Amino acid sequence: MPVIPFDPDRHIIRSEPAHIDSASNFLLLAVLSDLVALCDSEPDHQRAEVLRATTCALGDVLERFEPPRGTA
């Protein structure tokens, strides 16, 4: 599997579709699920907010890899 270099200064090119292998996508979804559960069970409000922000950021990244709505 080729390695795609991470460059935080690179601008996202919208004409290039987002892609990820299914195993990596599954693992990231599992991490997201664990983060949501951890966030929901966190008794400290301040830590829960930090976890919520991290969870939302990961969810936003994973959303890029979902097929467009209405496609099979």
Side-chain angles (χ1 to χ4, degrees), residues 15-54:
S15 63
E16 179 183 308
H19 56 283
I20 189 171
D21 64 285
S22 59
S24 296
N25 190 35
F26 178 78
L27 290 172
L28 287 171
L29 286 171
V31 169
L32 179 62
S33 177
D34 290 346
L35 275 173
V36 168
L38 186 64
C39 182
D40 290 345
S41 66
E42 177 57 60
D44 185 293
H45 180 71
Q46 205 168 16
R47 285 188 292 204
E49 286 302 315
V50 171
L51 282 170
R52 192 168 289 110
T54 303

Side-chain angles (χ1 to χ4, degrees), residues 4-12:
I4 300 171
F6 176 73
D7 182 1
D9 296 327
R10 179 176 175 235
H11 299 287
I12 297 172

